[in-house]
Amino acid sequence: MIDIHSHVLPGVDDGAKSEMGSLMMLEAAATEGIHTVVATPHYNRNYTIQRPEVLERVQRLQSLVDERELAVRVLPGQEVRVYAELLADVAAGKVLTVADAGKYLLVEFPFGNIPSYAEKLLADLKVAGMTPIIAHPERNKEIAANPGRLYDFVAKGALTQLTASSIAGFSGQKLQGLSQELIAHHLVHTIATDAHNNSIRSYSLKKAYEEIEKSCGERYTQYFKENARLIIEGKEVVSKQPKPMGNRKKSAFSLFKGK
């Protein structure tokens, strides 16, 4: 399995606090069957680590992983909080795409709202040759209240990354239910852990895929896994045609019947 969103880089944000903490996280990932982890430290007003330092620190972490003989590859990336000057900072080399492959940029909205400039910014990223991947959309209050907002972004070319713990049920039934609906409406393109440590925010990718296979079928787990591979390789992701959100009281699983 491939995890494209993990706060495993030590001492740079609210994720791993030390190199030992990073190695413990990666041991847990390997035990779960994850062979590739993209280190995606936050890039926002509180955490300002930039591309050159991320590359250097990922190289250092990989050397420690190799010394420990863990069967995990660590790749560089960032989780970027959207802001008006993002495109300029990408051009200036401050911001990393996923796996430094040049095509996909992992972005997040504030949890409470979607900024008014977000639609234009994501469109401008597309024009610049990058595809935005919206991280954990199920945790955004505005999207949770009106999932049609997410449909608008996806219909215009954005991708999304659902949090493994949300679909696994570890973050509560409401988030799990919304996650199921987003998948059923083809508004999710890949699954990742957003792991921060081995306790409160840990790896749960295996459990998430088990839940998806149980409810939606093996083809969906393969779809998400394949997309993760294509993303880190900078190749074109195959997207399902998104469906506008309908009555949220309807069981998400019923949408898979007959498919």
Side-chain angles (χ1 to χ4, degrees):
M1 294 184 290
I2 297 169
D3 184 14
I4 71 161
H5 183 177
S6 177
H7 296 269
V8 70
L9 210 58
V12 297
D13 62 5
D14 57 345
K17 300 305 179 186
S18 65
E19 290 181 345
M20 182 56 66
S22 296
L23 291 172
M24 290 174 66
M25 287 179 66
L26 292 170
E27 284 179 350
T31 299
E32 184 161 303
I34 297 170
H35 57 76
T36 301
V37 172
V38 183
T40 53
H42 290 291
Y43 185 69
N44 56 37
R45 63 183 180 182
N46 296 318
Y47 304 107
T48 58
I49 183 172
Q50 296 181 3
R51 180 177 183 274
E53 187 177 356
V54 174
L55 293 173
E56 180 180 339
R57 285 176 177 262
V58 166
Q59 186 177 28
R60 162 68 180 169
L61 181 56
Q62 185 65 62
S63 68
L64 294 174
V65 169
D66 294 342
E67 289 176 8
R68 208 176 182 92
E69 297 184 344
L70 296 177
V72 180
R73 178 175 57 152
V74 184
L75 299 176
Q78 285 173 300
E79 180 187 14
V80 184
R81 176 69 62 90
V82 295
Y83 58 99
E85 299 80 18
L86 173 57
L87 198 60
D89 283 354
V90 171
K94 297 179 180 180
V95 180
L96 263 166
T97 55
V98 178
D100 201 25
K103 184 170 178 60
Y104 298 100
L105 185 67
L106 186 67
V107 300
E108 68 168 343
F109 296 144
F111 288 108
N113 69 295
I114 298 174
S116 59
Y117 55 81
E119 184 173 348
K120 183 180 186 306
L121 175 62
L122 268 55
D124 288 345
L125 286 169
K126 290 286 291 184
V127 171
M130 282 168 289
T131 298
I133 301 175
I134 302 171
H136 43 66
E138 79 282 5
R139 288 157 53 191
N140 178 273
K141 290 183 179 179
E142 191 168 339
I143 290 172
N146 180 14
R149 293 300 310 276
L150 187 62
Y151 170 82
D152 292 340
F153 288 115
V154 173
K156 293 175 182 177
L159 303 180
T160 71
Q161 169 259 301
L162 195 70
T163 312
S165 60
S166 295
I167 192 63
F170 298 147
S171 298
Q173 291 183 348
K174 287 184 178 180
L175 272 184
Q176 186 179 39
L178 175 58
S179 298
Q180 292 164 352
E181 291 184 69
L182 295 178
I183 290 174
H185 286 82
H186 301 167
L187 297 176
V188 179
H189 303 90
T190 193
I191 313 295
T193 68
D194 191 13
H196 282 61
N197 50 55
N198 278 346
S199 53
I200 299 174
R201 303 177 73 175
S202 60
Y203 291 97
S204 52
L205 198 55
K206 182 179 179 181
K207 175 63 174 176
Y209 281 135
E210 289 173 351
E211 288 295 320
I212 292 168
E213 183 166 347
K214 180 172 64 177
S215 59
C216 312
E218 184 182 0
R219 66 191 183 283
Y220 272 81
T221 62
Q222 294 305 316
Y223 169 70
F224 293 134
K225 290 178 179 180
E226 176 67 4
N227 277 349
R229 181 186 67 80
L230 294 170
I231 288 168
I232 67 169
E233 293 177 358
K235 297 179 180 178
E236 196 69 28
V237 165
V238 178
S239 300
K240 297 179 181 292
Q241 183 65 34
K243 302 176 183 179
M245 291 288 286
N247 184 357
R248 292 194 62 205
K249 292 182 180 180
K250 184 177 181 180
S251 169
F253 293 155
S254 68
L255 296 172
F256 294 100
K257 291 180 179 179
K259 294 186 178 181

